[in-house]
């Protein structure tokens, strides 16, 4: 798969996972002490290209489970937008919310019923990566993997830019520039 070669390319600095590696990471997250929460957190970070700070600031009010939508509040002067929630993700959200018996506004809570911290997310991503035998991993790699996935599916620069909340397309072009799918069929008659 094309994505697998990106992290090894000497001129390319954005690291990301292949689809099988994402599956291994998500499966490993389920095996942690708070597997239901950790799986959902990593799944949402990947599927919505969330930065750690965006993920830990998510609130119940950002979810519309009836319409299967989530409001993504972007940071770093990014463009906030509503994203659809896929069926498996919706089920994971409902499963996680069933484990909660509080009325706190934050979506992702620590054991102490506080919003998760950047450090706790870094730790749980590293722990899941170790269990999945993926080596050194940083949570921001999930955001990059989301961008490359969309580019490799053939989505255009503007859609990926809006989905990831980039105001400037120069931040998005990294994903589409190296996606070989855009050259498919150039020489077919």
């Amino acid at each position: 798969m094309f994505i697998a070669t990106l992290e090894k390319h000497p001129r390319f600095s954005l690291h990301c996972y292949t689809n099988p590696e994402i599956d291994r990471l998500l499966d490993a997250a389920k095996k942690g002490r708070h597997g239901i929460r950790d799986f959902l957190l990593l799944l949402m970070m990947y599927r919505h290209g969330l930065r750690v700070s965006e993920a830990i600031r998510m609130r119940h009010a950002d979810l519309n489970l009836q319409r299967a939508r989530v409001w993504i509040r972007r940071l770093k002067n990014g463009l906030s937008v509503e994203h659809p929630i896929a069926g498996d993700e919706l089920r994971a959200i409902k499963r996680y919310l069933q484990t909660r018996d509080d009325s706190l506004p934050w979506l992702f809570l620590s054991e102490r019923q506080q919003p998760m911290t950047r450090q706790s997310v870094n730790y749980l991503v590293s722990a899941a990566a170790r269990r999945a035998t993926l080596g050194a991993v940083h949570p921001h790699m999930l955001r990059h993997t989301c961008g490359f996935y969309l580019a490799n599916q053939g989505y255009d620069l503007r859609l990926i830019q809006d989905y990831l909340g980039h105001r400037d397309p120069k931040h998005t072009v990294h994903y589409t520039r190296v996606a070989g799918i855009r050259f498919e069929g150039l020489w077919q008659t």
Side-chain angles (χ1 to χ4, degrees), residues 40-41 44 50 52-65 69-75 85 93 96-97 100 102-109 113-116:
L40 177 61
L41 175 62
M44 290 186 80
L50 298 175
V52 173
S53 296
E54 293 167 346
I56 62 177
R57 290 181 182 195
M58 290 189 85
R59 296 176 173 265
H60 281 275
D62 295 331
L63 298 172
N64 183 335
L65 301 181
R69 298 284 187 265
V70 59
W71 181 253
I72 305 296
R73 290 181 291 132
R74 296 294 185 190
L75 299 176
I85 301 172
I93 291 169
Y96 170 62
L97 292 177
R100 304 253 315 255
D102 60 80
S103 59
L104 296 169
W106 305 285
L107 184 58
F108 297 107
L109 295 176
Q113 302 298 300
Q114 295 296 312
M116 293 186 73

Side-chain angles (χ1 to χ4, degrees), residues 1 3 16-17 19 46 143-155 160 175:
M1 176 174 233
I3 292 178
C16 62
Y17 298 111
N19 290 342
Y46 165 61
R143 180 171 168 82
H144 293 314
T145 303
C146 175
F148 284 116
Y149 174 83
L150 295 172
N152 282 323
Q153 294 301 306
Y155 295 112
I160 299 168
Y175 304 118

